[in-house]
Amino acid sequence: MFWADSVAQELKKRKLSLEWVDDMKTPSGKIHVGALRGVVIHDLAFKALKDTGVKTKYTYIFDNHDPMDALPVYLPKEKYEKYLGMPLFKVPSPEPGFDNYADYYAKDFINVFQSIGCNPEILWASELYLSGKMNNVIREVLDKASEIRKIYEDMYKKEMPKNWYPFQPFCPNCGKVSTTTVTDWDGNEVTMVCEMNKVKWTKGCGFQGKISPFSSKKGIVGKLPWKVEWAVKWKVVGVTVEGAGKDHMSAGGSHDLASEICKKIINYPVPYPLPYEFFLIGGKKMSSSKGLGSSASDMLEILPPQLLRFLMVKTKLNKAIDFDPSGGTIPNLFDEYQKAADVYFSRSASGGEKRDEDLARVFELSQVGEVQKPPMIRFSVLAQWVQMPNMEEEIKKEGLENWAKYAGIWVERFAPDQDKFSVQKELPKEVEELSKEQKQLLSKIAKELDKKWEGEVFQTRIYDIGKESGLGGKETFAAVYKSLLGKDHGPKAAWLILSLDKKFVQKRFLEASK
Ligand SMILES: [Zn+2]
């Protein structure tokens, strides 16, 4: 059974009145494709739950109140340095038309996940605080600060300061959050300081005073440290299913700490976890390979939405996805997708034969909207078509424009040299290598071009002419390729010839046969 369906079956036994699936991310810059894997995994759990008839809901929380703790390399340092340490929703957007920095990067990511068929309800952490819903639990964790200190100490085997409190105010003077520390809690207010040198990358202002830790419609006054906050959000929102990447799910990691807070402090059942492996680009977690950035939106430039989704749906949670777009990776992915479609659509056709139900389900869950039958043509052939002149008509006739666009991108950016070709404007020097028989062959083909040909028939005819001239298949087609492309290999010869202007080919073959 497909993993998400097994999870749904297991969850169904809990008989909860509502299964609330949630995922989240801090929009601190362009969002990495690894986070997209999280969105898809939670979407699969959500859809599988729906399919089993369990009442379910899917939300995505953007932690827009987290501080800006580093400057992305693609942003101007002069403009953004002064915002380091401030909550992301207080930082201006890099582009006009967005409320703030977090809004800009979150919306870029929302566009990507919506276009691959994931439509969670969006929640903003800032609004959770502004709504006042967090306040009761904030009081609870401040009252139990000493117990939380003990959880940290047991887990990390290091002593916590006796005046450590699980709260970080937004400095009322300078607005920063990374620089503040709470040193006391009297049941109404926290005592805080904005430290000059708390972190290396930005300075505090030195403010000291007492403030209420309770946010209201008037504004947000602070936030919980994120591991504690993760647990509190589960309780406040009502989350029952939430996983994370393996960096958070390892032993002693943030998930372990949040789980302890759930059990020992706020009395809330830990959501069903969905731990998953990384999504690497060319073996690396971050960085770029062959001009491909590793952000989620970069991936949509090189793969159609269904294929990007398929890549993630087909990979088991505990397996890393290592996507290196160079070489044959992309054509292979298209082949696999078509194979999965064949299995899916063979339901009634195959009669008694047992089909691979998991693969059929993978195909079904890779769809964006209605189930769509993919084109029959192999991607590698389409990649040849887009390199031939005068094929636009054929591509349009077969309804292949969309895939042809991606084939063109693959040829331009990722195809190995052996898969690239272009018809040479001048007679290639490689024709000097042609044998007497090959030259004979070319002049015979030139003559036959006056007849009207269909691709398949003409391909056989070329092969037969070669045989008449005493040539094997390989030598026959090499003669065509050398005289047109200056290479000894290429796409199917008949289609290549028929895609070109007849007069041009006749002239070229006659020149080459001299
Ligand atoms: Zn300050």
mmCIF file of all heavy atoms in Angstrom, residues 135 138-139 142 167-170 172 182 185-192 209-216 219-223:
data_model
loop_
_atom_site.group_PDB
_atom_site.id
_atom_site.type_symbol
_atom_site.label_atom_id
_atom_site.label_comp_id
_atom_site.label_asym_id
_atom_site.label_seq_id
_atom_site.Cartn_x
_atom_site.Cartn_y
_atom_site.Cartn_z
ATOM 1 N N ASN A 135 -1.979 33.657 24.259
ATOM 2 C CA ASN A 135 -1.693 34.222 25.588
ATOM 3 C C ASN A 135 -1.823 33.255 26.761
ATOM 4 O O ASN A 135 -0.964 33.228 27.638
ATOM 5 C CB ASN A 135 -2.551 35.469 25.813
ATOM 6 C CG ASN A 135 -2.066 36.628 24.942
ATOM 7 O OD1 ASN A 135 -0.919 36.609 24.483
ATOM 8 N ND2 ASN A 135 -2.921 37.598 24.706
ATOM 9 N N ILE A 138 1.139 31.101 26.762
ATOM 10 C CA ILE A 138 2.341 31.874 27.118
ATOM 11 C C ILE A 138 2.429 31.998 28.647
ATOM 12 O O ILE A 138 3.479 31.799 29.248
ATOM 13 C CB ILE A 138 2.325 33.263 26.431
ATOM 14 C CG1 ILE A 138 2.579 33.103 24.922
ATOM 15 C CG2 ILE A 138 3.373 34.189 27.052
ATOM 16 C CD1 ILE A 138 2.426 34.370 24.108
ATOM 17 N N ARG A 139 1.283 32.291 29.257
ATOM 18 C CA ARG A 139 1.268 32.359 30.733
ATOM 19 C C ARG A 139 1.678 31.015 31.342
ATOM 20 O O ARG A 139 2.502 30.948 32.239
ATOM 21 C CB ARG A 139 -0.130 32.759 31.240
ATOM 22 C CG ARG A 139 -0.254 32.776 32.755
ATOM 23 C CD ARG A 139 -1.653 33.175 33.216
ATOM 24 N NE ARG A 139 -2.012 34.534 32.820
ATOM 25 C CZ ARG A 139 -1.586 35.633 33.446
ATOM 26 N NH1 ARG A 139 -0.781 35.534 34.498
ATOM 27 N NH2 ARG A 139 -1.973 36.814 33.040
ATOM 28 N N LEU A 142 5.448 30.443 30.996
ATOM 29 C CA LEU A 142 6.231 31.338 31.873
ATOM 30 C C LEU A 142 6.114 30.879 33.327
ATOM 31 O O LEU A 142 7.099 30.867 34.066
ATOM 32 C CB LEU A 142 5.760 32.785 31.716
ATOM 33 C CG LEU A 142 6.309 33.516 30.478
ATOM 34 C CD1 LEU A 142 5.589 34.837 30.262
ATOM 35 C CD2 LEU A 142 7.815 33.733 30.563
ATOM 36 N N PHE A 167 10.760 33.177 26.764
ATOM 37 C CA PHE A 167 10.070 34.265 26.061
ATOM 38 C C PHE A 167 11.096 35.253 25.527
ATOM 39 O O PHE A 167 12.091 35.542 26.188
ATOM 40 C CB PHE A 167 9.095 34.985 27.001
ATOM 41 C CG PHE A 167 8.133 35.883 26.262
ATOM 42 C CD1 PHE A 167 7.079 35.351 25.526
ATOM 43 C CD2 PHE A 167 8.307 37.265 26.274
ATOM 44 C CE1 PHE A 167 6.210 36.183 24.820
ATOM 45 C CE2 PHE A 167 7.440 38.093 25.563
ATOM 46 C CZ PHE A 167 6.394 37.547 24.836
ATOM 47 N N GLN A 168 10.854 35.764 24.305
ATOM 48 C CA GLN A 168 11.744 36.789 23.741
ATOM 49 C C GLN A 168 10.919 37.999 23.326
ATOM 50 O O GLN A 168 10.172 37.956 22.348
ATOM 51 C CB GLN A 168 12.469 36.240 22.515
ATOM 52 C CG GLN A 168 13.778 35.550 22.890
ATOM 53 C CD GLN A 168 14.725 35.503 21.719
ATOM 54 O OE1 GLN A 168 14.482 34.759 20.776
ATOM 55 N NE2 GLN A 168 15.782 36.289 21.781
ATOM 56 N N PRO A 169 11.038 39.092 24.104
ATOM 57 C CA PRO A 169 10.262 40.289 23.748
ATOM 58 C C PRO A 169 10.804 40.962 22.487
ATOM 59 O O PRO A 169 11.978 40.803 22.149
ATOM 60 C CB PRO A 169 10.472 41.214 24.950
ATOM 61 C CG PRO A 169 11.145 40.395 26.005
ATOM 62 C CD PRO A 169 11.853 39.276 25.316
ATOM 63 N N PHE A 170 9.940 41.692 21.800
ATOM 64 C CA PHE A 170 10.386 42.605 20.750
ATOM 65 C C PHE A 170 10.748 43.900 21.488
ATOM 66 O O PHE A 170 9.898 44.460 22.182
ATOM 67 C CB PHE A 170 9.261 42.890 19.751
ATOM 68 C CG PHE A 170 8.832 41.705 18.920
ATOM 69 C CD1 PHE A 170 7.727 41.785 18.088
ATOM 70 C CD2 PHE A 170 9.539 40.508 18.964
ATOM 71 C CE1 PHE A 170 7.328 40.700 17.312
ATOM 72 C CE2 PHE A 170 9.148 39.408 18.207
ATOM 73 C CZ PHE A 170 8.035 39.503 17.386
ATOM 74 N N PRO A 172 10.905 47.320 22.889
ATOM 75 C CA PRO A 172 10.009 48.460 22.633
ATOM 76 C C PRO A 172 10.766 49.671 22.107
ATOM 77 O O PRO A 172 10.167 50.576 21.544
ATOM 78 C CB PRO A 172 9.413 48.762 24.007
ATOM 79 C CG PRO A 172 9.922 47.756 24.947
ATOM 80 C CD PRO A 172 11.019 46.972 24.297
ATOM 81 N N VAL A 182 14.839 37.856 28.741
ATOM 82 C CA VAL A 182 13.969 38.060 29.906
ATOM 83 C C VAL A 182 14.694 37.525 31.131
ATOM 84 O O VAL A 182 15.279 36.448 31.090
ATOM 85 C CB VAL A 182 12.623 37.337 29.708
ATOM 86 C CG1 VAL A 182 11.861 37.229 31.022
ATOM 87 C CG2 VAL A 182 11.788 38.053 28.662
ATOM 88 N N TRP A 185 9.882 37.140 35.797
ATOM 89 C CA TRP A 185 8.444 37.092 35.452
ATOM 90 C C TRP A 185 7.670 37.178 36.748
ATOM 91 O O TRP A 185 7.886 36.376 37.659
ATOM 92 C CB TRP A 185 8.174 35.784 34.701
ATOM 93 C CG TRP A 185 6.744 35.261 34.714
ATOM 94 C CD1 TRP A 185 6.304 34.094 35.284
ATOM 95 C CD2 TRP A 185 5.596 35.859 34.113
ATOM 96 N NE1 TRP A 185 4.978 33.921 35.075
ATOM 97 C CE2 TRP A 185 4.488 34.996 34.343
ATOM 98 C CE3 TRP A 185 5.368 37.035 33.396
ATOM 99 C CZ2 TRP A 185 3.196 35.265 33.896
ATOM 100 C CZ3 TRP A 185 4.088 37.301 32.945
ATOM 101 C CH2 TRP A 185 3.015 36.425 33.187
ATOM 102 N N ASP A 186 6.785 38.198 36.873
ATOM 103 C CA ASP A 186 6.073 38.389 38.133
ATOM 104 C C ASP A 186 4.601 37.975 38.051
ATOM 105 O O ASP A 186 3.816 38.293 38.924
ATOM 106 C CB ASP A 186 6.218 39.845 38.608
ATOM 107 C CG ASP A 186 5.535 40.849 37.671
ATOM 108 O OD1 ASP A 186 4.763 40.401 36.772
ATOM 109 O OD2 ASP A 186 5.772 42.060 37.810
ATOM 110 N N GLY A 187 4.235 37.329 36.974
ATOM 111 C CA GLY A 187 2.841 36.908 36.832
ATOM 112 C C GLY A 187 2.038 37.872 35.974
ATOM 113 O O GLY A 187 0.966 37.527 35.474
ATOM 114 N N ASN A 188 2.548 39.083 35.815
ATOM 115 C CA ASN A 188 1.905 40.074 34.946
ATOM 116 C C ASN A 188 2.848 40.580 33.863
ATOM 117 O O ASN A 188 2.465 40.743 32.718
ATOM 118 C CB ASN A 188 1.462 41.299 35.755
ATOM 119 C CG ASN A 188 0.177 41.023 36.502
ATOM 120 O OD1 ASN A 188 -0.753 40.451 35.937
ATOM 121 N ND2 ASN A 188 0.145 41.400 37.766
ATOM 122 N N GLU A 189 4.081 40.833 34.278
ATOM 123 C CA GLU A 189 5.059 41.422 33.372
ATOM 124 C C GLU A 189 6.373 40.660 33.428
ATOM 125 O O GLU A 189 6.699 40.025 34.435
ATOM 126 C CB GLU A 189 5.308 42.885 33.748
ATOM 127 C CG GLU A 189 4.107 43.785 33.462
ATOM 128 C CD GLU A 189 4.405 45.239 33.779
ATOM 129 O OE1 GLU A 189 4.895 45.516 34.892
ATOM 130 O OE2 GLU A 189 4.173 46.097 32.897
ATOM 131 N N VAL A 190 7.122 40.755 32.331
ATOM 132 C CA VAL A 190 8.485 40.201 32.342
ATOM 133 C C VAL A 190 9.463 41.363 32.455
ATOM 134 O O VAL A 190 9.199 42.460 31.962
ATOM 135 C CB VAL A 190 8.798 39.380 31.064
ATOM 136 C CG1 VAL A 190 8.011 38.085 31.023
ATOM 137 C CG2 VAL A 190 8.584 40.198 29.795
ATOM 138 N N THR A 191 10.593 41.085 33.110
ATOM 139 C CA THR A 191 11.684 42.060 33.158
ATOM 140 C C THR A 191 12.612 41.712 32.003
ATOM 141 O O THR A 191 12.976 40.547 31.833
ATOM 142 C CB THR A 191 12.456 41.957 34.492
ATOM 143 O OG1 THR A 191 11.499 42.090 35.540
ATOM 144 C CG2 THR A 191 13.530 43.011 34.595
ATOM 145 N N MET A 192 12.959 42.696 31.212
ATOM 146 C CA MET A 192 13.751 42.395 30.012
ATOM 147 C C MET A 192 14.913 43.352 29.843
ATOM 148 O O MET A 192 14.938 44.447 30.403
ATOM 149 C CB MET A 192 12.874 42.470 28.760
ATOM 150 C CG MET A 192 12.334 43.861 28.477
ATOM 151 S SD MET A 192 11.907 44.124 26.721
ATOM 152 C CE MET A 192 13.481 44.211 25.942
ATOM 153 N N GLY A 209 13.693 47.199 31.122
ATOM 154 C CA GLY A 209 12.390 47.583 31.652
ATOM 155 C C GLY A 209 11.476 46.393 31.832
ATOM 156 O O GLY A 209 11.880 45.235 31.685
ATOM 157 N N LYS A 210 10.220 46.683 32.183
ATOM 158 C CA LYS A 210 9.215 45.634 32.377
ATOM 159 C C LYS A 210 8.142 45.799 31.318
ATOM 160 O O LYS A 210 7.700 46.926 31.049
ATOM 161 C CB LYS A 210 8.573 45.789 33.758
ATOM 162 C CG LYS A 210 9.419 45.245 34.902
ATOM 163 C CD LYS A 210 8.619 45.320 36.183
ATOM 164 C CE LYS A 210 9.151 44.303 37.200
ATOM 165 N NZ LYS A 210 8.177 44.069 38.279
ATOM 166 N N ILE A 211 7.736 44.667 30.697
ATOM 167 C CA ILE A 211 6.650 44.737 29.715
ATOM 168 C C ILE A 211 5.721 43.531 29.883
ATOM 169 O O ILE A 211 6.113 42.501 30.424
ATOM 170 C CB ILE A 211 7.162 44.757 28.249
ATOM 171 C CG1 ILE A 211 7.895 43.459 27.921
ATOM 172 C CG2 ILE A 211 8.045 45.957 27.950
ATOM 173 C CD1 ILE A 211 7.903 43.148 26.440
ATOM 174 N N SER A 212 4.501 43.675 29.391
ATOM 175 C CA SER A 212 3.563 42.540 29.387
ATOM 176 C C SER A 212 3.945 41.608 28.234
ATOM 177 O O SER A 212 4.252 42.076 27.141
ATOM 178 C CB SER A 212 2.136 43.046 29.189
ATOM 179 O OG SER A 212 1.330 41.961 28.746
ATOM 180 N N PRO A 213 3.956 40.297 28.476
ATOM 181 C CA PRO A 213 4.279 39.360 27.381
ATOM 182 C C PRO A 213 3.065 39.001 26.529
ATOM 183 O O PRO A 213 3.162 38.126 25.681
ATOM 184 C CB PRO A 213 4.778 38.135 28.148
ATOM 185 C CG PRO A 213 3.986 38.144 29.418
ATOM 186 C CD PRO A 213 3.743 39.599 29.755
ATOM 187 N N PHE A 214 1.933 39.673 26.780
ATOM 188 C CA PHE A 214 0.703 39.278 26.086
ATOM 189 C C PHE A 214 0.380 40.208 24.925
ATOM 190 O O PHE A 214 0.110 41.390 25.113
ATOM 191 C CB PHE A 214 -0.467 39.230 27.071
ATOM 192 C CG PHE A 214 -0.188 38.323 28.240
ATOM 193 C CD1 PHE A 214 -0.218 38.802 29.541
ATOM 194 C CD2 PHE A 214 0.145 36.983 28.021
ATOM 195 C CE1 PHE A 214 0.065 37.960 30.616
ATOM 196 C CE2 PHE A 214 0.426 36.144 29.093
ATOM 197 C CZ PHE A 214 0.388 36.635 30.387
ATOM 198 N N SER A 215 0.394 39.636 23.720
ATOM 199 C CA SER A 215 0.081 40.416 22.524
ATOM 200 C C SER A 215 -1.423 40.604 22.401
ATOM 201 O O SER A 215 -2.208 39.821 22.940
ATOM 202 C CB SER A 215 0.615 39.707 21.279
ATOM 203 O OG SER A 215 2.012 39.622 21.335
ATOM 204 N N SER A 216 -1.807 41.625 21.690
ATOM 205 C CA SER A 216 -3.225 41.872 21.438
ATOM 206 C C SER A 216 -3.339 42.526 20.077
ATOM 207 O O SER A 216 -2.333 42.722 19.400
ATOM 208 C CB SER A 216 -3.802 42.806 22.498
ATOM 209 O OG SER A 216 -3.212 44.082 22.331
ATOM 210 N N GLY A 219 -0.817 45.053 18.905
ATOM 211 C CA GLY A 219 0.525 44.740 18.404
ATOM 212 C C GLY A 219 1.128 43.517 19.063
ATOM 213 O O GLY A 219 0.625 43.051 20.089
ATOM 214 N N ILE A 220 2.206 43.007 18.457
ATOM 215 C CA ILE A 220 2.896 41.845 19.033
ATOM 216 C C ILE A 220 4.011 42.351 19.920
ATOM 217 O O ILE A 220 4.783 43.217 19.511
ATOM 218 C CB ILE A 220 3.541 40.972 17.947
ATOM 219 C CG1 ILE A 220 2.544 40.635 16.845
ATOM 220 C CG2 ILE A 220 4.079 39.692 18.544
ATOM 221 C CD1 ILE A 220 3.147 39.732 15.806
ATOM 222 N N VAL A 221 4.091 41.790 21.106
ATOM 223 C CA VAL A 221 5.121 42.262 22.031
ATOM 224 C C VAL A 221 6.283 41.284 22.164
ATOM 225 O O VAL A 221 7.295 41.613 22.789
ATOM 226 C CB VAL A 221 4.519 42.558 23.420
ATOM 227 C CG1 VAL A 221 3.548 43.727 23.325
ATOM 228 C CG2 VAL A 221 3.811 41.317 23.966
ATOM 229 N N GLY A 222 6.154 40.091 21.589
ATOM 230 C CA GLY A 222 7.267 39.161 21.699
ATOM 231 C C GLY A 222 6.865 37.791 21.201
ATOM 232 O O GLY A 222 5.749 37.603 20.708
ATOM 233 N N LYS A 223 7.803 36.850 21.301
ATOM 234 C CA LYS A 223 7.528 35.496 20.821
ATOM 235 C C LYS A 223 8.166 34.465 21.743
ATOM 236 O O LYS A 223 9.067 34.786 22.533
ATOM 237 C CB LYS A 223 8.052 35.317 19.388
ATOM 238 C CG LYS A 223 9.570 35.270 19.290
ATOM 239 C CD LYS A 223 10.033 35.181 17.860
ATOM 240 C CE LYS A 223 9.765 33.819 17.247
ATOM 241 N NZ LYS A 223 10.467 32.696 17.883
#
